[in-house]
Amino acid sequence: MLNFPSLPPHMRQASEKQKGKNWFVELLIFFLVFLIASILSGFLMIPGYVIAVISDSSIMELFLSGASSVEEYSRIAALIESSLPVTLSMLFANAGLILIAILFCVIFQKRKVSSMGFIKEKAGTQYLIGMGIGFLLFGAVTLINIMTGAMTIEGISKNFSFGVFLLFALGFAIQGMAEEVLCRGYFMVSVSRRYSVITAVLLNSLVFSLLHLANPGVSVAAIVNIVLFGVVLSLYFLRTGNIWGIGAIHSVWNFVQGNVFGMEVSGLDLSCTVFQSSTAPDKVFWNGGVFGAEGGFSTTIVLVAAVLILLFWRKRSGVTTRENEGILPHTENEADMRLG
């Protein structure tokens, strides 16, 4: 039987502090918050651009010689944007999204950080479980691609560097958590102050997909899969009541996709991967083509299965929610548990 999750007690605190607004107003506020956070993240990326220009002699030569045409400007910009320092700085700069989203919720919405899912209890355990789920989910996507002949793993990549690999791991840990704090911890809970949980799940998942519209190679299939991914993370967020699990799922999904199996991550091609892989150009339906596996039907299958599992997930009889799901608080004092 269908068992749609409800909002955990510590998240309902958000509606007690401030009444929710019309959904369109919530959307406008969200994009304003996102714009401010993006500006801050842009400033945080400046060191990456500086390092890219200084460390790459070819970029430095072009930069110093000056561009005399639009084509030359575009070439310089493309070289800088695709450089390792800029890619890494882009991931780490997502810390700005986390900071702005938390400050907005605490200062303007008068919310406790616990209402965003920042729960102390078993945070480490929940994060590790999320990491495992993220690996299993994308591992299943990869397996389907291999079985259908849409993808081939050719061996260990020659470009692998352990130090860079660790930097990407840390970068994706920040990037994945940032999008979850923004879309689920802030926006979904904000919408649920006035509307049903189902509405909050669907609206935040749609908005989450809109944030990827400018990614290279985006397609209708990719947008559908990103919406499904948002639904999976939203349902898991409601089931567990904490931000740590979905932050880990999101981060590991991206990290394994790009830095382990060597696929494009939402159109982003990464330079440091464990395996060298290739995709069959005649099987874009399965592998997603330029956008990466997230644009393929292999991902659709895995995400639909995950949604069904989360929707039909029921507690064992005679077992409390706290014991079954690991972290949901029951008493008023426990519900006040928060980060820091």
Side-chain angles (χ1 to χ4, degrees):
M1 183 180 293
L2 186 66
N3 181 32
F4 202 94
S6 59
L7 205 67
H10 52 286
M11 293 183 190
R12 288 199 293 269
Q13 176 267 342
S15 61
E16 296 168 2
K17 290 295 181 181
Q18 192 178 95
K19 184 181 177 181
K21 296 175 172 44
N22 175 274
W23 68 269
F24 186 70
V25 176
E26 290 281 9
L27 270 178
L28 292 178
I29 295 172
F30 170 83
F31 283 113
L32 178 61
V33 171
F34 178 69
L35 176 62
I36 295 171
S38 297
I39 292 172
L40 174 58
S41 297
F43 279 110
L44 294 176
M45 286 181 63
I46 291 175
Y49 282 98
V50 173
I51 294 171
V53 173
I54 294 174
S55 62
D56 192 318
S57 57
S58 61
I59 294 177
M60 179 62 86
E61 262 182 47
L62 287 169
F63 193 77
L64 292 176
S65 63
S68 58
S69 66
V70 175
E71 290 76 14
E72 288 179 345
Y73 275 117
S74 299
R75 184 186 172 195
I76 294 172
L79 284 171
I80 294 174
E81 289 291 338
S82 62
S83 67
L84 181 61
V86 170
T87 302
L88 287 171
S89 68
M90 178 182 66
L91 294 176
F92 281 94
N94 279 281
L97 294 180
I98 298 175
L99 177 63
I100 296 299
I102 292 176
L103 288 177
F104 176 76
C105 289
V106 172
I107 296 173
F108 293 98
Q109 294 188 333
K110 310 300 180 185
R111 290 165 54 180
K112 296 177 181 178
V113 289
S114 57
S115 72
M116 302 179 74
F118 285 106
I119 302 298
K120 284 182 178 179
E121 188 177 358
K122 296 185 179 180
T125 301
Q126 292 296 325
Y127 197 87
L128 288 174
I129 292 172
M131 289 177 66
I133 292 173
F135 184 85
L136 287 174
L137 285 175
F138 199 78
V141 171
T142 304
L143 182 61
I144 292 172
N145 273 308
I146 292 174
M147 291 175 64
T148 57
M151 171 188 173
T152 303
I153 295 180
E154 299 167 348
I156 303 297
S157 173
K158 297 177 181 178
N159 296 324
F160 181 76
S161 166
F162 187 69
V164 175
F165 185 77
L166 287 180
L167 287 174
F168 270 112
L170 291 172
F172 274 120
I174 294 172
Q175 180 266 338
M177 181 61 78
E179 292 190 9
E180 293 314 306
V181 170
L182 186 72
C183 294
R184 257 62 71 176
Y186 152 46
F187 187 62
M188 189 181 86
V189 176
S190 288
V191 173
S192 71
R193 294 178 303 168
R194 180 167 177 170
Y195 298 95
S196 68
V197 178
I198 294 177
T199 301
V201 167
L202 294 176
L203 187 58
N204 100 81
S205 299
L206 287 169
V207 170
F208 176 60
S209 70
L210 293 179
L211 299 182
H212 296 78
L213 280 178
N215 289 32
V218 68
S219 63
V220 173
I223 294 301
V224 170
N225 282 338
I226 292 172
V227 171
L228 284 171
F229 191 56
V231 171
V232 169
L233 294 172
S234 298
L235 293 175
Y236 191 82
F237 183 50
L238 293 170
R239 291 293 188 193
T240 61
N242 75 86
I243 199 79
W244 306 110
I246 58 172
I249 292 172
H250 195 150
S251 296
V252 171
W253 171 282
N254 287 342
F255 178 66
V256 168
Q257 183 176 183
N259 295 105
V260 175
F261 294 117
M263 301 182 193
E264 287 82 2
V265 182
S266 299
L268 179 65
D269 190 10
L270 304 180
S271 57
C272 177
T273 67
V274 175
F275 297 107
Q276 184 71 42
S277 62
S278 62
T279 53
D282 60 334
K283 296 195 175 181
V284 173
F285 174 77
W286 291 101
N287 59 41
V290 177
F291 193 79
E294 290 173 339
F297 191 63
S298 57
T299 297
T300 309
I301 293 172
V302 172
L303 293 179
V304 168
V307 168
L308 292 175
I309 290 171
L310 288 165
L311 285 177
F312 288 90
W313 178 4
R314 299 189 65 82
K315 302 186 296 293
R316 296 190 300 272
S317 59
V319 181
T320 65
T321 304
R322 179 186 178 88
E323 290 169 339
N324 187 55
E325 298 183 357
I327 58 88
L328 291 186
H330 280 269
T331 68
E332 186 175 344
N333 290 335
E334 287 176 312
D336 285 338
M337 290 185 300
R338 52 190 182 276
L339 184 68

